[in-house]
Amino acid sequence: MILNDRKILLLYITTAFISHILGFPRKIPIGGIFDSDEMIQRAFEISIEAVNNKNITVAEDTMGVFLTLKSEKINKNAIRVAKRACKLVNRGVAGIFGPQNKLTANYVESMCDTLDIPHIAARWDSESKRGNVINLYPHPDMLSMVFHDIIKEYKWKEYAILYDNTDNLIRMSRLLKLPNMNSISAMAFHLGSGPNFRKAMKEVKGSDYRNIIIDCSTDILATILEQALQVGILSERYRVVITSLDLQTVSLEPYKYSGVNLTGVRLINPESPIVQRILQFRAFNWNLTNSSDLKVEAALAYDAVQLFARGYARLYDSVKGNIKKLFCNRTEIWGHGFSLSNYIRNEQINGLSGMIKFDTAGFRSEFHLDILNLEKQGLRKIGRWETNFGIKWEPGHRIPGVDDEKSLRDKHFLVLISLTDPYGMLKESSNMTIGNDRYEGFAIDIIHEMSKILGFNYTFEVQVDNAYGSLNKTTGQWNGMIGKIIAGTADLAITDLTVTAERQDAVDFTSLFMNLGISVLYRKPTSAPPNLLSFLGPFSKDVWVYLIAAYIIVTMLLFVIGKLCPVEWTNPYPCIKEPEVLETPFTLLDTPFCVIGALLKGNTGFAPAGISTRTLAIAWWFFNLIIGSTYVANLAAALATKSAAWPFKVAEDLAYQHEIKYGAKKGGSTLSFFKDSSHEPYQIMYNYMMDHADEVLMGKNEDGVWKVQQENYAYLMESSSIEYIQQRKCNVTQVGGLLDAKGYGIAMKKDIYYRTDLSGAVLKLKENGIINELQHKWWREKRGGDECEEKVKVQVEALNFEDVKGVFLIMTSGVMLSWLFAGWSFLWNIRNLAIQHNVFYRDQIIEELKFLAKCNSKKIIKRRKTSLETIKSNSTDS
Ligand code: GLU
């Protein structure tokens, strides 16, 4: 063992000696100047280790090259950087990598130029010069081209550019100098110096721009996105392109659901085998939680070392020379730097950042980028940009707003339907036809109308077992139509397929083409038994009370007014010329009879003679006329409409009875509704249905309807289907209202690109009334629709006091008027009597009032000075 080690040492010393004499040493020092980003230094060191270990190099042919790192850690202080750089060249290095900061990098670059040492960079540099610099960062012009091509593909006619520094704006230069700039409106907004960038964003929001390009450095990208979300420019209304090559290293979780259409690019594909392989080597040293966290500059630092090693190997093979210790303050140069730079530039390797290749001007202008789109699952590759080919979209990718129209022209869909009336039915002539022609129905027509809008072709396939799709919680598998859509054996499913939250997790649905809710189908109930007091029905209780009150009040008033009015006091024996007694017909016995006689249209021979009594009578008769007619009319209607006897009024009632059986469709959304409901009666109902599943759960709706007609059975089904059945089966009907609100949609594979198109077509059909027309056609017109159209039912309701209040008011006015007349004629008569009998007016009043208070219907004429005719002629009433 000791001997072996000695041998190796001897071999090493000999090789070193020979190579010292013959040419460059294989052990080569390389300088690294690193500023704050530790990931770059780590990547650099790992790459050196990989070259030295030989087992993980991306660049082959580096055999024999052994790199030693001479690193310097710096800050932004230019003088210190100068010192550190000089220290490095003083120690003798074959090349210098870094730093990343623009100012300090420029200094190192010019020093390397002067001393003829290759300078390897991996940073965005807007002013790329040739010299001894080898920059692995894609050339700014070419990057600008990428975004130019994206905008062109997106056919943006207007866009705002949000940028953080003028240097970066170069990346956008092409976008501000497009050839068709006359027809394009573009504006650049400076984000400001931060940390608050909202002002510029608000300006963009306030403008009419809906397309935004965000161009900023990786350090502030997360803050910018956060603030953009707050300001509201990361929302459905905007389409945003992010230029940073490090977009994938930022957490995009909060923006996935913002609705924004966000496009980005990446240089490093974290899933590529080469990236995976390299990151696994010294995985601990990389210190990355995820391969997508690898930043571009770090990846380029790794690639830089690999490229350098390969270039140096070439130099070693062909040129004799040595490493020199140089001094910044002397004019001596290395002399091999330029050759080494050229060797490096002529190399072509496949690194972390893809194919690395330099053009004749020494720039990395040939590269490719992945174009990404932010979706609910995260960033998804939608295309690829290559220097010579421009953008190639992934197969099936459609650009929103551009490909919408033309997209589905050549598409052929396999559409699942079920034979459920009226959604999908076999034509009567189906035996004689083949293919799609065998089917007709509401769903069939909808697909046909959609195909007219979008231009796709389709073939229908019947779901034979009529299973729409339910999830088996134990296996996690979906059956029925949903299962087939997930498996990809069908493209679309349309029938009375309810959109539920559970199904929506597994597949996508279009917008709803029909709205409905769960209700109960039951046979029509029998009429209610006759009610003894049904004659009271036309009026409500309070009207009856007011009517009785009106009767009592009018009776009392007539009784009093009849006494006050002198004309009503007449001679009971007309043959006696000068009677001693006068009588009034308004006695305690007769007055109520007269009043009720008028009410009940009986002839009581009642004929008031005075103005006051007549006014009261007219008011009462008018009142009777209206009230009587209203009563008769309402009673007639009430007798024509017999109320029904419902064994239950709402679905819930079913839970607490044992006479009526009830059920729903097996595996349907109605049954799921009861299963998932936490409402106690619905839980009871679900348990009942599951306990009696064989008896009450149906394979299809038709079986449920049949059972409803034959047995004492209620079928829980969807209102749309109930409506259809009610039109055709006259002995069944819907009982109660809707238990929930939901709708039918067309199912398709999750996140499929044509989802928006199909939804848009459904909305169009709704907006232009086609869905309504189709619904009318299949519900009312075809296959026996309107068979059970109900006669217009008169729903008779008891009249409330409010309905007859006016009549009461008119009568009250009549009563008040009659009182006025009565009072006046009474007082006038007293005045005449007082004069006639030569007594005081007051005494006469008191006497008359006393008489009235006795309620006597006979009046004795005491001091008769004139004849009765005289009294009459003097009376104001006459
Ligand atoms: N529309 C239901 C579904 O999609 C089937 C009928 C029902 O459950 O009432 O599952």
Side-chain angles (χ1 to χ4, degrees):
M1 185 73 187
I2 294 169
L3 192 74
N4 267 350
D5 281 350
R6 274 196 189 150
K7 267 186 190 165
I8 290 170
L9 190 68
L10 196 66
L11 193 70
Y12 181 71
I13 293 169
T14 323
T15 321
F17 178 68
I18 293 169
S19 44
H20 189 73
I21 296 172
L22 296 180
F24 290 106
R26 287 199 181 261
K27 191 175 176 194
I28 180 89
I30 178 169
I33 305 178
F34 303 102
D35 28 33
S36 51
D37 195 339
E38 285 187 357
M39 197 196 279
I40 297 174
Q41 184 168 358
R42 271 203 304 272
F44 197 80
E45 287 167 359
I46 294 171
S47 189
I48 289 181
E49 217 180 321
V51 169
N52 295 344
N53 273 329
K54 308 295 178 230
N55 54 356
I56 194 72
T57 48
V58 289
E60 294 100 33
D61 293 344
T62 57
M63 287 309 280
V65 175
F66 191 91
L67 299 174
T68 54
L69 173 64
K70 304 210 180 302
S71 69
E72 292 291 339
K73 191 99 185 146
I74 56 148
N75 53 22
K76 282 183 187 159
N77 183 330
I79 301 174
R80 275 217 183 149
V81 174
K83 269 192 187 162
R84 298 284 168 91
C86 289
K87 200 169 136 198
L88 272 183
V89 291
N90 197 229
R91 289 159 79 189
V93 287
I96 294 181
F97 175 85
Q100 302 303 109
N101 178 277
K102 185 185 171 191
L103 290 176
T104 49
N106 279 346
Y107 173 80
V108 176
E109 198 178 303
S110 56
M111 183 199 79
C112 287
D113 254 353
T114 320
L115 300 177
D116 189 26
I117 296 174
H119 179 224
I120 304 136
R123 64 182 189 90
W124 156 253
D125 184 5
S126 57
E127 301 144 11
S128 289
K129 306 179 272 306
R130 189 167 167 155
N132 267 352
V133 190
I134 301 143
N135 196 348
L136 274 79
Y137 207 97
H139 192 263
D141 264 0
M142 280 297 140
L143 272 182
S144 178
M145 190 72 180
V146 175
F147 300 109
H148 164 265
D149 288 352
I150 292 179
I151 302 310
K152 216 169 109 198
E153 286 282 307
Y154 281 6
K155 295 201 168 47
W156 283 3
K157 290 274 169 277
E158 45 82 10
Y159 48 85
I161 302 173
L162 277 167
Y163 67 98
D164 69 333
N165 92 45
T166 333
D167 270 354
N168 289 357
L169 203 57
I170 304 226
R171 214 163 12 200
M172 299 291 99
S173 58
R174 276 179 189 267
L175 305 185
L176 296 168
K177 288 185 251 156
L178 291 176
N180 54 343
M181 214 61 208
N182 293 345
S183 59
I184 289 179
S185 149
M187 199 159 176
F189 294 80
H190 189 238
L191 278 164
S193 51
N196 185 353
F197 304 101
R198 295 182 189 88
K199 193 166 166 262
M201 295 177 187
K202 280 182 192 155
E203 269 177 55
V204 173
K205 198 181 176 196
S207 67
D208 286 336
Y209 294 107
R210 291 290 164 263
N211 303 312
I212 303 170
I213 300 165
I214 299 180
D215 183 70
C216 64
S217 55
T218 309
D219 316 341
I220 58 166
L221 183 58
T223 318
I224 297 273
L225 290 178
E226 196 184 311
Q227 294 184 6
L229 186 71
Q230 290 161 358
V231 170
I233 57 171
L234 289 190
S235 67
E236 294 91 353
R237 297 179 63 205
Y238 295 91
R239 288 187 292 176
V240 176
V241 170
I242 310 272
T243 62
S244 168
L245 301 183
D246 280 321
L247 179 65
Q248 63 181 346
T249 63
V250 177
S251 162
L252 296 172
E253 199 57 34
Y255 317 108
K256 284 182 190 172
Y257 303 97
S258 64
V260 68
N261 192 331
L262 190 141
T263 305
V265 286
R266 71 176 176 205
L267 184 64
I268 294 144
N269 175 4
E271 286 112 40
S272 85
I274 190 163
V275 174
Q276 292 288 333
R277 193 159 54 89
I278 293 171
L279 293 187
Q280 268 154 29
F281 174 69
R282 298 278 185 263
F284 182 74
N285 292 7
W286 279 108
N287 198 12
L288 297 170
T289 40
N290 202 313
S291 55
S292 59
D293 292 344
L294 177 65
K295 286 192 183 155
V296 167
E297 291 187 348
L300 294 180
Y302 183 95
D303 289 346
V305 175
Q306 300 291 320
L307 196 70
F308 177 85
R310 178 107 168 231
Y312 183 78
R314 292 270 175 274
L315 178 80
Y316 178 87
D317 288 343
S318 39
V319 183
K320 310 271 174 279
N322 204 352
I323 304 295
K324 262 194 193 158
K325 293 186 175 172
L326 300 168
F327 299 90
C328 289
N329 49 1
R330 294 195 200 155
T331 50
E332 190 188 7
I333 61 166
W334 182 27
H336 297 288
F338 190 69
S339 311
L340 179 54
S341 298
N342 280 338
Y343 277 117
I344 294 175
R345 280 199 197 97
N346 285 331
E347 286 307 321
Q348 188 173 322
I349 64 162
N350 216 348
L352 278 174
S353 59
M355 174 58 70
I356 302 170
K357 195 175 165 187
F358 293 89
D359 60 15
T360 44
F363 301 123
R364 188 175 179 190
S365 51
E366 251 185 67
F367 57 94
H368 53 246
L369 295 177
D370 287 341
I371 304 175
L372 311 168
N373 195 44
L374 181 62
E375 291 171 6
K376 287 186 189 112
Q377 291 72 30
L379 285 171
R380 189 174 69 87
K381 180 176 166 187
I382 53 168
R384 181 179 169 92
W385 184 92
E386 286 181 25
T387 312
N388 301 321
F389 303 105
I391 295 174
K392 245 197 251 154
W393 298 109
E394 289 285 286
H397 175 71
R398 287 172 43 254
I399 306 168
V402 176
D403 291 341
D404 295 353
E405 302 278 295
K406 57 176 191 201
S407 57
L408 296 178
R409 291 270 156 228
D410 310 318
K411 187 86 191 144
H412 189 106
F413 290 128
L414 182 68
V415 185
L416 286 176
I417 54 167
S418 75
L419 293 181
T420 307
D421 297 358
Y423 308 94
M425 298 173 284
L426 278 175
K427 277 185 189 166
E428 274 147 23
S429 59
S430 64
N431 288 341
M432 288 165 333
T433 47
I434 50 161
N436 289 350
D437 281 349
R438 283 172 296 163
Y439 310 108
E440 63 175 8
F442 182 54
I444 309 292
D445 282 357
I446 290 181
I447 291 290
H448 179 64
E449 291 298 332
M450 287 171 71
S451 78
K452 282 206 263 176
I453 299 175
L454 299 171
F456 60 81
N457 296 315
Y458 54 90
T459 305
F460 290 119
E461 183 185 299
V462 175
Q463 179 69 27
V464 186
D465 61 2
N466 221 34
Y468 293 179
S470 52
L471 176 69
N472 181 335
K473 294 247 161 81
T474 6
T475 60
Q477 297 294 312
W478 283 88
N479 67 3
M481 293 174 151
I482 303 287
K484 283 190 183 165
I485 296 282
I486 295 171
T489 48
D491 300 306
L492 307 175
I494 181 168
T495 179
D496 54 331
L497 183 65
T498 311
V499 179
T500 63
E502 200 175 47
R503 285 176 180 168
Q504 200 143 30
D505 277 346
V507 293
D508 267 342
F509 284 95
T510 57
S511 335
L512 304 181
F513 60 82
M514 200 167 196
N515 296 309
L516 55 289
I518 297 173
S519 196
V520 191
L521 184 80
Y522 190 59
R523 63 177 183 220
K524 271 196 187 142
T526 49
S527 308
N531 181 354
L532 274 182
L533 295 177
S534 55
F535 67 89
L536 293 176
F539 290 150
S540 65
K541 216 191 301 168
D542 53 347
V543 173
W544 284 117
V545 171
Y546 282 114
L547 204 57
I548 294 168
Y551 165 68
I552 294 171
I553 291 168
V554 169
T555 307
M556 283 175 6
L557 291 179
L558 194 62
F559 179 73
V560 177
I561 293 173
K563 300 242 167 352
L564 293 180
C565 179
V567 183
E568 298 296 354
W569 292 100
T570 52
N571 178 2
Y573 314 107
C575 46
I576 302 170
K577 284 284 174 237
E578 289 195 347
E580 298 210 339
V581 176
L582 295 178
E583 269 185 21
T584 174
F586 298 103
T587 63
L588 212 51
L589 211 63
D590 289 344
T591 317
F593 185 65
C594 289
V595 176
I596 200 132
L599 181 64
L600 301 178
K601 311 279 180 290
N603 187 2
T604 56
F606 167 68
I611 285 190
S612 51
T613 43
R614 280 182 178 174
T615 312
L616 182 58
I618 289 167
W620 178 241
W621 287 340
F622 174 75
F623 173 76
N624 287 336
L625 177 73
I626 306 296
I627 287 287
S629 326
T630 315
Y631 175 80
V632 171
N634 222 22
L635 182 67
L639 291 175
T641 325
K642 290 192 176 160
S643 61
W646 297 90
F648 62 95
K649 291 219 166 77
V650 285
E652 277 184 41
D653 296 347
L654 291 169
Y656 303 105
Q657 54 81 47
H658 299 289
E659 254 139 57
I660 306 167
K661 293 175 192 157
Y662 50 91
K665 183 177 182 281
K666 223 181 270 172
S669 58
T670 302
L671 193 62
S672 306
F673 166 83
F674 286 93
K675 184 177 165 196
D676 300 336
S677 173
S678 51
H679 188 47
E680 196 192 309
Y682 295 162
Q683 282 173 354
I684 296 174
M685 289 171 78
Y686 178 71
N687 292 337
Y688 164 83
M689 289 192 271
M690 292 319 285
D691 292 347
H692 303 82
D694 291 343
E695 198 187 349
V696 299
L697 295 185
M698 302 294 139
K700 44 188 179 151
N701 282 346
E702 280 77 7
D703 299 343
V705 176
W706 186 86
K707 204 170 166 72
V708 169
Q709 287 179 297
Q710 304 303 318
E711 299 172 19
N712 191 10
Y713 174 79
Y715 188 53
L716 294 151
M717 68 190 296
E718 286 159 338
S719 54
S720 48
S721 303
I722 292 184
E723 201 188 316
Y724 178 80
I725 287 156
Q726 279 189 133
Q727 303 287 330
R728 287 156 182 84
K729 313 253 185 265
C730 309
N731 56 348
V732 295
T733 190
Q734 175 178 331
V735 183
L738 304 185
L739 275 54
D740 62 352
K742 52 197 179 188
Y744 299 147
I746 305 173
M748 73 204 85
K749 213 177 170 111
K750 199 127 195 89
D751 287 330
I752 198 88
Y753 67 92
Y754 44 74
R755 178 180 181 266
T756 333
D757 286 332
L758 296 186
S759 274
V762 169
L763 285 179
K764 242 183 224 166
L765 292 181
K766 269 170 111 176
E767 277 163 18
N768 55 25
I770 291 182
I771 298 248
N772 267 353
E773 274 171 29
L774 291 179
Q775 197 175 345
H776 192 268
K777 172 178 157 189
W778 289 107
W779 263 251
R780 301 270 167 167
E781 291 167 13
K782 295 271 184 178
R783 303 219 181 188
D786 276 352
E787 178 111 355
C788 316
E789 187 59 10
E790 298 257 320
K791 312 265 169 324
V792 180
K793 268 193 178 174
V794 186
Q795 188 62 38
V796 184
E797 279 192 21
L799 294 176
N800 294 317
F801 178 65
E802 287 301 314
D803 301 320
V804 288
K805 199 166 149 187
V807 196
F808 275 87
L809 273 177
I810 289 177
M811 191 190 67
T812 313
S813 329
V815 167
M816 279 162 28
L817 206 63
S818 69
W819 263 101
L820 266 176
F821 288 136
W824 182 50
S825 60
F826 175 70
L827 293 174
W828 185 253
N829 185 41
I830 287 176
R831 173 194 160 269
N832 289 343
L833 285 176
I835 294 168
Q836 208 175 12
H837 299 306
N838 202 16
V839 292
F840 284 117
Y841 189 64
R842 197 192 58 194
D843 294 344
Q844 188 64 37
I845 286 182
I846 292 169
E847 192 182 333
E848 285 293 325
L849 287 178
K850 274 183 184 166
F851 173 73
L852 277 179
K854 284 178 196 157
C855 294
N856 234 332
S857 51
K858 285 191 177 156
K859 189 188 250 183
I860 298 163
I861 304 169
K862 279 186 185 168
R863 292 184 294 251
R864 239 172 99 219
K865 299 240 164 102
T866 56
S867 66
L868 185 63
E869 287 77 14
T870 321
I871 297 168
K872 272 189 180 172
S873 67
N874 285 343
S875 153
T876 339
D877 265 4
S878 64

